[in-house]
Amino acid sequence: MPASQPRSRARDRNNVLNRAEFLSLNQPLKGNQESRSSGRKQSGQAGAAGAQSTNPKERRQSQQLPEEDCMQLNPSFKGIAFNSLLAIDICMSKRLGVCANRASSWGGARSMINLLGITGHGIPWIAGTLICLVKSSTLAGQEVLMNLLLALLLDIMIVAGLQKLAKRKGPYDINPGLLDYLTMDTYAFPAGHASRVAMLSKFFLNHLVLAIPLRILLVLWALCVGLSRVMIGRHHITDVLSGFVFGYLQFRLVELIWMSSNTCQMLISIW
């Protein structure tokens, strides 16, 4: 028996699996898993202790982060299409803003373009309608002028309300003029001049007897006024297009609430 013990010890020393680099192969998996689970538990407890040690105000702020701060890794197709169209609109509007300032390529024509824009402003049209209403002596003329005055006032109020809701800035940092402040036309969307000229051109085409050349000139005038607002850098292309749409809708609204001749005469007598 004593001789067998040294032999077994020598056999264990010569065994390759008893070396240090192979000891892990002889260990049972259960002990290894227990050591790993205990390590995870210790790390979890340490993390929980660290989270408890943090300030509760910081935890509330981290939980109340706005959605804008989160990265959208999977944006929707509608979002991509909308952002692409918006980028194209801004790029094209800046390219067409050739009269945005004196240093622009068409800076010398800025005064003429501004004069074209004044022809579509609300204040001259309201003042001209009131003068024609005072000088008019026919019932039919007074009826048309009173409804035209109503359409102009509705246009100013509707456009001012929509601009206050949208609060979109123009492609260039251009301060509105005095007439723009009077009509509350201080933002870009929708374009007030575009809605007004679209409403006026449709109103005149429906209620005035005009020759074909005059009708064509009336439509061209409306288009040129809308284009002039983009050329001076005051509005985007989509602002002008949406202004045309709102102008047509305003005309349809005036047609629905058209005041009769008796109503117009009553309002004129009160005035």
Side-chain angles (χ1 to χ4, degrees):
M1 292 296 294
S4 63
Q5 290 181 356
R7 290 178 184 175
S8 62
R9 289 176 183 174
R11 212 179 292 120
D12 292 338
R13 280 194 227 102
N14 295 328
N15 192 2
V16 179
L17 296 177
N18 290 329
R19 294 181 182 179
E21 58 267 25
F22 297 106
L23 285 177
S24 61
L25 298 176
N26 297 328
Q27 298 295 330
L29 295 175
K30 183 177 179 181
N32 193 11
Q33 290 177 355
E34 289 178 355
S35 62
R36 289 182 182 178
S37 61
S38 62
R40 289 176 183 174
K41 288 180 181 179
Q42 291 177 359
S43 62
Q45 290 176 358
Q52 290 177 359
S53 63
T54 56
N55 194 354
K57 292 184 179 180
E58 295 179 356
R59 281 186 294 170
R60 291 173 189 170
Q61 291 178 357
S62 63
Q63 291 175 358
Q64 295 177 357
L65 285 175
E67 294 182 358
E68 291 81 359
D69 295 341
C70 301
M71 184 182 295
Q72 295 182 358
L73 298 179
N74 189 17
S76 62
F77 176 76
K78 292 182 180 179
I80 295 174
F82 177 76
N83 291 330
S84 301
L85 292 176
L86 187 63
I88 294 172
D89 178 36
I90 295 173
C91 180
M92 294 299 296
S93 301
K94 285 184 175 293
R95 286 180 177 273
L96 289 176
V98 293
C99 302
N101 47 57
R102 294 293 180 183
S104 301
S105 57
W106 289 19
R110 181 176 171 81
S111 57
M112 184 178 65
I113 299 299
N114 280 328
L115 183 62
L116 179 61
I118 292 175
T119 60
H121 207 281
I123 298 299
W125 278 100
I126 291 176
T129 303
L130 289 173
I131 293 172
C132 294
L133 186 60
V134 171
K135 293 185 177 182
S136 179
S137 58
T138 61
L139 296 177
Q142 291 176 354
E143 179 183 352
V144 172
L145 290 171
M146 280 296 296
N147 285 278
L148 177 60
L149 182 62
L150 174 64
L152 291 169
L153 295 176
L154 283 176
D155 173 75
I156 291 176
M157 291 187 292
I158 292 173
V159 170
L162 292 173
Q163 287 186 356
K164 288 294 182 181
L165 289 175
K167 291 184 179 181
R168 187 187 188 188
K169 298 291 185 180
Y172 292 90
D173 190 11
I174 298 175
N175 295 325
L178 177 61
L179 294 178
D180 296 328
Y181 281 110
L182 291 176
T183 56
M184 297 174 287
D185 188 9
T186 55
Y187 290 101
F189 180 87
H193 288 66
S195 66
R196 194 168 301 113
V197 295
M199 184 268 297
L200 288 172
S201 60
K202 186 63 177 175
F203 188 92
F204 291 150
L205 289 175
N206 274 46
H207 297 286
L208 295 181
V209 180
L210 300 174
I212 294 178
L214 290 178
R215 299 171 76 89
I216 295 174
L217 288 176
L218 189 61
V219 175
L220 289 177
W221 165 74
L223 295 176
C224 289
V225 170
L227 180 61
S228 68
R229 305 304 292 171
V230 181
M231 293 176 65
I232 65 172
R234 186 72 172 79
H235 296 280
H236 299 88
I237 297 175
T238 53
D239 300 334
V240 174
L241 295 177
S242 61
F244 288 151
V245 173
F246 282 116
Y248 176 77
L249 294 177
Q250 290 166 10
F251 165 76
R252 300 300 303 174
L253 177 61
V254 173
E255 291 291 310
L256 290 174
I257 60 173
W258 185 268
M259 294 185 294
S260 62
S261 179
N262 295 330
T263 306
C264 295
Q265 291 300 314
M266 182 184 66
L267 294 175
I268 292 173
S269 62
I270 294 173
W271 178 39

